[in-house]
Structure formats: structure tokens, C-alpha cells
Amino acid sequence: MLDDFFVRALLAGIGIAVVAGPLGCFVVWRRMAYFGDTMAHSALLGIALALAFDWATLPAVFLVSALVSMALVLLQRRGGLSTDSLLGILSHSSLAIGLVSLAFMPGVRVDLLGYLFGDILAVTKTDLAVVWGGAVVVAAALALLWRPLLAGTVNAEVAAAEGQAPERARILFMLLLAFVIAIAMKIVGILLITALLIIPAATARRFATSPEVMALSAAVIGAFASGGGLYLSLGYDTPSGPSIVVAALGLFLLALLPLPKLSASAGKPAASEPAP
Amino acid sequence: MTQSNSSPQPPQTLVAMRGMGVFRSGRWLVRGVDLSIRPGEIVTLIGPNGSGKTTTAKAAIGILAPDAGEVRRSAGLVVGYVPQKLAIDRSLPMSVARLMTLTARASPAEIDAVLDRVGVLHLRTAQVHDLSGGEFQRALLARAMLRRPHLLVLDEPVQGVDFSGEIALYELISELRESEGCAVLLISHDLHVVMAKTDRVVCLNGHVCCEGTPSSVAASPAYRRLFGDRAAEALAVYRHHHDHTHLPDGRIAYPPGGGDHHHPAGCGHDHGADDEGRDAASGAKEEADAASREHDHA
């Protein structure tokens, strides 16, 4: 079964979506969408490093993303500039340095489009093992981190006063995000990872009444988006990463439609009033 | 007061602060603060905006690390905290019941009991974003109480609450202290409303201006100077002499040459009179208490 490239792609996409959903909820709740983008952009610098020194791609990308997020933490503590300005600086400079470094390596053939937009249909069995191994690690870490991370998301000071160590939870969360970006890069590509984090979470918000329900729904919605996008990609020969994002957007728009009213009286009075 | 319901009580002082100062962005937010909180007492911090009330409370419970002096907390101190501002992003779905277990586990029965205690049990399944200001403050109070804290820290707990709701909320805080036996560190800018329920008032304006029983603080010249004569009670029970005046921004105007430096208590210059004042304050405390009781009966 795993010999079929499409089955491998499907399983890899679902594996990523299942952890990107819950992590993406925290990205939405903490208003860190731009942060996700920044880390993803810095991944290109990681790829350049990996090629230059002949390292494995995944640890190099994780290392650079993690360093960029720690740089942000330090710059935030220093104060003076708003977080979005700092992120803009980090995001674009790491992307630019990555591209410039790649240009210095003329002997290296780089499939830049593959890195930017993902090449899920080229997923190997090893990739699949890395994705699912990584997903299990991230899911377990997130479960352990849940209470302090959620408490710190609601209010960092309350969490600190009540012994939840929110700053440590925040840093561990950033590292988890860097790790997910490193394993998701091959699937959806650097430029579209944030979409897989945010769109399923935003879609899940529509139906959720608790943080836990929203996280689980985001995982399920992300898995459907992954599957749907891949079928789209197979059927119409479209690039896989963008197809997944388009499918996620489709689900998001679907969720914007008003829910059918369960009680007949709820929405009626305004409509039944006589026109003035 | 009963102490049946709170976590095993550390016997000694819960928080002891000596010469505490916090320095941020080139200025002292507060400095030279001595403050202790004992089990079961209600201590109220009052002072104008920017006088360092919140900073002092945060240093007391370890959210802020002090830049001067020391803060000691008893081992195993359980804190329940209601911050001045708590805005939950609308993207985060959260029912009142779920908010209760934010930092600690609790059984559904315990959650119902504490929500009932503060009068918002009917809002159990409501989303926090849909609550009114008063309902949300009560839910936050319930959440903090659910931890069975030794020390409850309430930073302006009546914000967004109308006047009658304000009085009801202070009544509730006082009742909770009685039934749970926890100490309360209360921050308020209005001494009058909290007066009857407070054991000790500390008046801050970048440093401790005066402290004592509510009536003695209300009668003190320092309090009058900060809040105006109209705000002060007509109880001229004790007087203490202030050698310093405050600049418009609230900093202390030190004599020329004295500088804005930190000096240890009792080193004998410019603030000596203030220390005398505090001794006088503690001496006058009983008198003040007696006076306030008289006043209550009148």
C-alpha cells in the first residue's frame, strides 16, 4: 500500500495536519500568525546551511527556525520595537540571506519551487516515518504542555502567579512550532505552512465551545483539507501544497455559511414584522 | 475566622517585603517598600494612578523580580490572582466552567459550588465573552478562590461594575475571607468603599506614604495630600510629619544634594521623620481603631 506514491502523500498530509491543527489554534489564540510565517521563511536559510555543509535538511531547518524564534524572544525583552516590526525584520532578512546563500552555491542544484510550495507527491517511506514519528512526539509534548500553555495564553501573569511557568511554556511552544515547520516543509512548502496552521484552526472556531474541542476539530478539518487538496491535485494536475491550502480555504468558507436554525422562532420575528 | 477550607496554612507571614524597589525604563516605579501580609488579613493598597500599587502586588507574588530589596514568600504559598486587566481573545472559545480549571484541576461539584458561592452558577456554560463586567469579575474571583489560596490578590476587582455591584462585590470578598480564611491583598483607588472591610491600608505613591488602619490612614495628612481633603475622613486621630513633598509626576522631591538615591531606613537624613511618623502610626493605631468603632456606632 505504501508503495503507491499517492497513499504516501495522503498519509503524510494527514500526519502533518493532525498536529498543525492544535498547534495552529495556539497560533491563532496568541495572535502569532506572522510569527509562524517568520519561522517558515527562516527555513530557507536552514536549507541553504544544509546544502552548504552537507547536513541533513530537517535538523538544519529546525535549528535555524529555533534560533530565529529565540532571537525574537531576546529582541522582545530588549524592547523599543513592536513585535510585528521585529518579525518583519527577522522574516525577510532570513529569507533574503537564505536566497543569497543559495546563489553562492552554483554547483548545487536546488529545486527552489519544491521548497517554497512543497512536493508532497515525492514523499518517500523515510519521509513518512519522519512525519508520523514527529507528529507523535509533537502531540505528546503538546498534551503535557497543555495546561501551562493555555493558562499563559489566557493571561501570562495569572499563570505566573499561580505556578504555571508561562515563559517556559511559550519557549517550548516555539520550539514545537519550529519542529512542525521543519517536518511540514516538504509537504506544503515554506510559503504555505502558516496556512495549514491557521486556516483549519479558524474554521474550527466557528463550531467550538471549548479550547480542547477547537484543537481536535482543527486537526480533523486539517486532515480533510489535506486529503481533499491531494485529490484535487491528482485530478487536475495542480501543485499539491497550494491545492491543500485551497481545499482548507473551501472548508473555511463553507463554515462561514449560517448554520440552519434549530428553533424556528429564533430568527423569525424580524422577518415577519410588517414593512413600515 | 475559620480556616477550615484553605490549603494547609503556612504559619508564618505569607509575604515579607523589605526595601523593595522596581526600576524600569530609567525610573523607579516603586522603591523602599516594606510590606508584610499575615495569614487571614485583608491588606489594601491605595494610591493614585501610577503610584506603583500593581507593581508592588506583582512583586509580592513573584510576577516581577524586584531590582532592590528583598521579597520573601512562605514555602508552598498558594496564590489566587485576579489581575487588573484580563481580556480573553475572542478566537479562544472558553466557557465559565472551563475558565475555572485554567491553572488547576477541580471536580464538577467543586466548580458548581464555587460558582454558586459568587452567584454566577446560572452562567456555568456561558462563554466568557458574553458576560457583563460584573459577571466576569465574579467568575474571575471564583476561579481564584477555587485554588483554595492562602493569599488572594485582587487588583481593582470592581472595574466595570456599577456602584451597587461594587458594594456587593466587596461584601462577597469579605465573606470569602471569613469562610475560607485566606489573606487578601486588595488594590483599590477608593478607600471609602473598601474601608469597612479592610484590616490594614497601605497608601502608596512611589513609596509607602502612610499605613495603618483605614481610619488612621484616612485621617493622615499624606492621604489628604494625595486624595484631597474631601476624600479624607474627618477623623483627625493621628498626625505624622512628612518631610517630603511630591513632584507633579509623583516622585519624591528630595532636598537639593540629597539626590534620588536609595538609602537604608534609619540612616538619619531626610526620611528620618517619616520613620517616626510610622512609629506614631502604629502607636496611634489603637486609638484610631477605637475612634473608628465610635464612628461606626454614631
Side-chain angles (χ1 to χ4, degrees):
Chain A
M1 183 178 90
L2 292 180
D3 291 332
D4 184 346
F5 77 95
F6 189 71
V7 172
R8 287 200 301 272
L10 210 54
L11 288 176
I14 291 171
I16 289 297
V18 163
V19 286
L23 273 186
C25 287
F26 280 102
V27 172
V28 169
W29 296 334
R30 302 179 75 107
R31 304 184 177 212
M32 288 169 73
Y34 200 13
F35 174 78
D37 253 355
T38 302
M39 287 177 106
H41 288 178
S42 69
L44 199 68
L45 183 56
I47 291 164
L49 273 182
L51 290 170
F53 299 101
D54 205 18
W55 293 344
T57 316
L58 193 140
V61 168
F62 172 70
L63 187 72
V64 172
S65 298
L67 285 177
V68 165
S69 58
M70 292 310 114
L72 177 75
V73 170
L74 292 178
L75 286 169
Q76 274 176 333
R77 282 192 189 151
R78 193 170 165 272
L81 278 173
S82 68
T83 302
D84 66 333
S85 303
L86 293 174
L87 284 173
I89 293 166
L90 288 170
S91 166
H92 298 115
S93 50
S94 58
L95 184 66
I97 295 171
L99 288 167
V100 168
S101 327
L102 286 175
F104 273 113
M105 293 176 264
V108 184
R109 262 176 52 89
V110 186
D111 175 16
L112 200 55
L113 277 186
Y115 284 122
L116 291 179
F117 297 109
D119 191 3
I120 195 171
L121 301 179
V123 171
T124 64
K125 283 182 192 172
T126 316
D127 292 335
L128 201 53
V130 168
V131 164
W132 276 93
V136 168
V137 170
V138 171
L142 195 58
L144 287 175
L145 206 57
W146 190 267
R147 190 183 299 276
L149 189 57
L150 187 66
T153 302
V154 168
N155 188 288
E157 287 174 345
V158 168
E162 299 181 358
Q164 296 293 313
E167 187 63 9
R168 191 185 61 186
R170 183 168 86 105
I171 287 172
L172 287 173
F173 171 68
M174 286 175 164
L175 295 179
L176 282 183
L177 207 54
F179 185 59
V180 166
I181 284 169
I183 57 176
M185 189 181 61
K186 183 150 191 179
I187 315 298
V188 282
I190 289 165
L191 292 183
L192 297 175
I193 288 172
T194 317
L196 204 56
L197 288 167
I198 287 170
I199 300 177
T203 311
R205 174 64 184 101
R206 178 79 171 75
F207 310 102
T209 52
S210 79
E212 290 76 19
V213 169
M214 180 161 157
L216 293 176
S217 319
V220 172
I221 290 166
F224 273 104
S226 261
L230 285 172
Y231 275 104
L232 191 75
S233 169
L234 190 70
Y236 297 93
D237 194 22
T238 49
S240 58
S243 305
I244 290 173
V245 175
V246 167
L249 176 70
L251 291 177
F252 174 73
L253 293 175
L254 210 59
L256 286 183
L257 295 177
L259 289 170
K261 283 273 184 314
L262 293 176
S263 78
S265 60
K268 282 230 170 131
S272 59
E273 268 173 34
Chain B
M1 119 194 36
T2 61
Q3 301 203 342
S4 53
N5 284 331
S6 64
S7 316
Q9 197 74 254
Q12 72 279 46
T13 305
L14 301 176
V15 175
M17 219 178 234
R18 292 186 62 187
M20 191 280 296
V22 175
F23 189 83
R24 289 289 183 278
S25 314
R27 69 189 191 98
W28 289 95
L29 299 181
V30 287
R31 70 190 303 191
V33 174
D34 296 343
L35 176 70
S36 64
I37 303 166
R38 287 176 286 276
E41 69 172 345
I42 297 187
V43 177
T44 298
L45 298 178
I46 57 167
N49 289 335
S51 58
K53 304 185 294 284
T54 298
T55 305
T56 302
K58 284 180 181 174
I61 54 178
I63 301 175
L64 279 180
D67 298 291
E70 60 165 4
V71 178
R72 269 187 295 179
R73 281 176 291 278
S74 62
L77 177 71
V78 176
V79 172
Y81 182 40
V82 177
Q84 190 175 16
K85 283 203 186 77
L86 198 158
I88 297 179
D89 199 283
R90 284 201 85 87
S91 66
L92 177 54
M94 175 82 63
S95 68
V96 170
R98 179 65 187 84
L99 180 68
M100 295 302 114
T101 56
L102 192 64
T103 59
R105 290 171 199 281
S107 72
E110 288 172 314
I111 292 172
D112 284 0
V114 78
L115 288 177
D116 193 31
R117 190 77 178 80
V118 302
V120 293
L121 182 58
H122 59 292
L123 298 169
R124 196 178 193 292
T125 57
Q127 289 286 304
V128 289
H129 310 102
D130 300 331
L131 301 186
S132 72
E135 290 164 347
F136 190 49
Q137 287 298 336
R138 281 167 181 268
L140 290 177
L141 185 59
R143 194 204 63 78
M145 288 309 304
L146 190 56
R147 296 173 50 75
R148 306 208 181 293
H150 304 121
L151 173 62
L152 192 57
V153 179
L154 309 170
D155 194 344
E156 304 268 6
V158 294
Q159 275 184 34
V161 179
D162 60 30
F163 188 68
S164 62
E166 222 175 85
I167 292 175
L169 207 50
Y170 281 126
E171 285 288 341
L172 177 63
I173 291 165
S174 171
E175 280 171 35
L176 287 173
R177 188 270 297 256
E178 293 300 324
S179 62
E180 308 294 314
C182 58
V184 179
L185 178 61
L186 186 66
I187 294 176
S188 173
H189 56 261
D190 184 0
L191 178 58
H192 276 97
V193 187
V194 298
M195 219 177 138
K197 305 297 178 191
T198 300
D199 299 319
R200 203 146 53 83
V201 174
V202 178
C203 177
L204 281 174
N205 193 17
H207 67 147
V208 176
C209 278
C210 52
E211 66 174 302
T213 59
S215 47
S216 66
V217 165
S220 83
Y223 177 76
R224 283 161 190 268
R225 214 169 297 132
L226 278 177
F227 290 93
D229 283 334
R230 215 161 59 92
E233 279 269 330
L235 286 169
V237 181
Y238 87 93
R239 284 201 172 79
H240 68 257
H241 302 290
H242 268 276
D243 61 316
H244 63 269
T245 52
H246 285 280
L247 297 170
D249 66 356
R251 283 184 299 125
I252 303 159
Y254 288 97
D260 197 28
H261 66 277
H262 181 70
H263 51 83
C267 71
H269 71 266
D270 63 43
H271 250 224
D274 191 31
D275 293 332
E276 276 170 41
R278 264 186 235 159
D279 292 339
S282 53
K285 211 170 164 180
E286 285 173 18
E287 254 179 85
D289 277 338
S292 86
R293 274 196 295 278
E294 260 178 55
H295 180 69
D296 286 342
H297 289 303

